[in-house]
Amino acid sequence: MSDQSITSLIEKLEARMLSGEPFTYGGLSKARSEVGDGGGKSGDDDRMIDKTIQRLRRKGRISFTREGRDVVWRAHSEARV
């Protein structure tokens, strides 16, 4: 995967996370593996998703709640795009 496609993927992940629609790590990982952009599901993809979630969490743009067994992430209203 080229640097440009990685940057594009990160931008798409951030846009999805900040869209206002709740998401789970598993849902993002599953959606990523179904994209079919030449990169299959790999450990690198999982780390990229996790790093993006944690970066946005540290900036205070997203937070999580537990709903049963799931950890559900949501963008704060002022962080939504």
Side-chain angles (χ1 to χ4, degrees):
M1 194 180 276
S2 72
D3 287 344
Q4 185 177 10
S5 62
I6 290 171
T7 302
S8 175
L9 176 60
I10 292 171
E11 289 171 352
K12 288 177 185 176
L13 282 171
E14 283 189 20
R16 166 61 187 91
M17 291 175 193
L18 298 175
S19 71
E21 185 179 336
F23 64 93
T24 63
Y25 172 87
L28 289 176
S29 184
K30 182 180 176 188
R32 168 66 185 113
S33 66
E34 294 172 352
V35 168
D37 61 357
K41 181 167 173 37
S42 72
D44 289 340
D45 293 343
D46 289 341
R47 283 189 293 278
M48 184 182 346
I49 292 168
D50 186 53
K51 284 181 177 183
T52 304
I53 287 173
Q54 295 308 322
R55 183 170 24 83
L56 293 174
R57 180 194 58 79
R58 282 191 307 272
K59 289 180 178 179
R61 299 183 79 188
I62 62 174
S63 60
F64 71 92
T65 57
R66 285 194 124 332
E67 296 182 9
R69 293 175 43 179
D70 296 326
V71 174
V72 180
W73 293 90
R74 290 181 174 82
H76 294 211
S77 58
E78 62 275 359
R80 293 184 185 150
V81 290

